């Protein structure tokens, strides 16, 4: 199987300014695996195995990273995997501030990547905390009471979509902000769409 570079990722890299060199090194490293297909998802270079997301690259102000979609399943003997927030159950990042850090971790990254591919081939899945264990903020409960059809639409969403909404709605400290978020996404919920659809 030959490596096929995606022209959409070429275009992404051509526009990248802050992390271009790091992304190019990471891309070359990831694409040494002939098992992976290169795509753009969520506006980021994403690498899949038989349509399943394995790893993606993304950049932030202070660092760039590769994100192992099911990183919680990976052994981490080098202690390089980072859980972005306590709410993130599955994904784990490896962060870089410069290309030297990418190059220094090259062999470790290849090992972690191969384990992620092996896990996907084996069909391993993350055991997510059940949606019922996530708190439903007062503001969403109030909307459910006002509009039973909203509650039905919400409950018909996939567990992952429900979790994303519950975390997003409950995150702000102020009730006004929570209400505004909920109101903004009511139509999307009614249409059976997730937060990021």
């Amino acid at each position: 199987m030959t490596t096929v570079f995606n022209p959409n990722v070429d275009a992404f890299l051509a526009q990248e300014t802050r992390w271009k060199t790091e992304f190019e090194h990471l891309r070359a490293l990831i694409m040494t695996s002939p098992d992976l297909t290169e795509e753009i998802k969520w506006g980021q270079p994403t690498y899949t195995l038989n349509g399943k997301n394995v790893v993606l690259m993304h950049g932030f102000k202070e660092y760039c990273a590769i994100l192992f979609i099911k990183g919680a399943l990976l052994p981490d003997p080098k202690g390089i995997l980072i859980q972005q927030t306590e709410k993130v159950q599955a994904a784990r990042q490896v962060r870089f501030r410069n290309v030297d850090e990418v190059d220094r971790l090259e062999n470790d990254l290849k090992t972690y990547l191969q384990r992620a591919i092996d896990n996907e081939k084996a069909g391993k899945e993350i055991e997510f905390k059940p949606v019922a264990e996530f708190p439903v903020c007062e503001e969403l409960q109030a909307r459910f009471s006002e509009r039973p059809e909203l509650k039905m639409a919400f409950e018909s969403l996939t567990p992952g979509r429900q979790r994303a909404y519950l975390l997003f709605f409950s995150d702000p400290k102020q009730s006004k902000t929570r209400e505004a978020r909920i109101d903004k996404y009511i139509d999307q919920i009614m249409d059976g769409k997730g937060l990021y659809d």
Side-chain angles (χ1 to χ4, degrees), residues 7-144:
N8 294 327
V9 176
D10 293 336
F12 172 92
L13 291 172
Q15 294 178 358
E16 176 63 32
T17 53
R18 176 69 178 96
W19 302 109
K20 183 174 183 158
T21 304
E22 289 79 6
F23 282 159
E24 287 172 343
H25 282 240
L26 288 166
R27 180 191 199 193
L29 183 150
I30 292 168
M31 291 302 287
T32 60
S33 171
D35 294 319
L36 297 177
T37 301
E38 187 175 56
E39 303 180 42
I40 292 285
K41 292 188 177 184
W42 310 286
Q44 305 299 317
T46 304
Y47 300 85
T48 62
L49 176 71
N50 300 323
K52 300 277 191 168
N53 303 321
V54 176
V55 66
L56 64 81
M57 300 187 304
H58 54 170
F60 300 88
K61 184 178 178 183
E62 301 294 326
Y63 63 89
C64 68
I66 59 171
L67 181 81
F68 290 99
I69 305 300
K70 296 179 183 175
L73 294 175
L74 296 175
D76 187 21
K78 300 290 184 174
I80 60 175
L81 296 177
I82 296 170
Q83 183 177 1
Q84 290 167 275
T85 70
E86 64 197 30
K87 295 175 183 175
V88 175
Q89 296 182 62
R92 297 293 184 269
Q93 283 183 334
V94 181
R95 297 177 179 174
F96 311 95
R97 291 182 303 276
N98 56 60
V99 74
D100 291 339
E101 291 180 359
V102 174
D103 292 343
R104 192 168 43 250
L105 288 174
E106 180 177 350
N107 290 331
D108 297 320
L109 293 172
K110 284 181 180 178
T111 300
Y112 282 54
L113 181 61
Q114 188 56 56
R115 286 185 180 141
I117 292 167
D118 292 344
N119 285 345
E120 199 57 56
K121 285 180 177 178
K124 292 188 177 179
E125 295 292 338
I126 299 285
E127 286 190 36
F128 289 102
K129 187 165 92 171
V131 174
E133 291 183 23
F134 286 83
V136 179
C137 63
E138 291 176 28
E139 296 79 7
L140 185 57
Q141 289 284 15
R143 293 297 183 276
F144 287 162

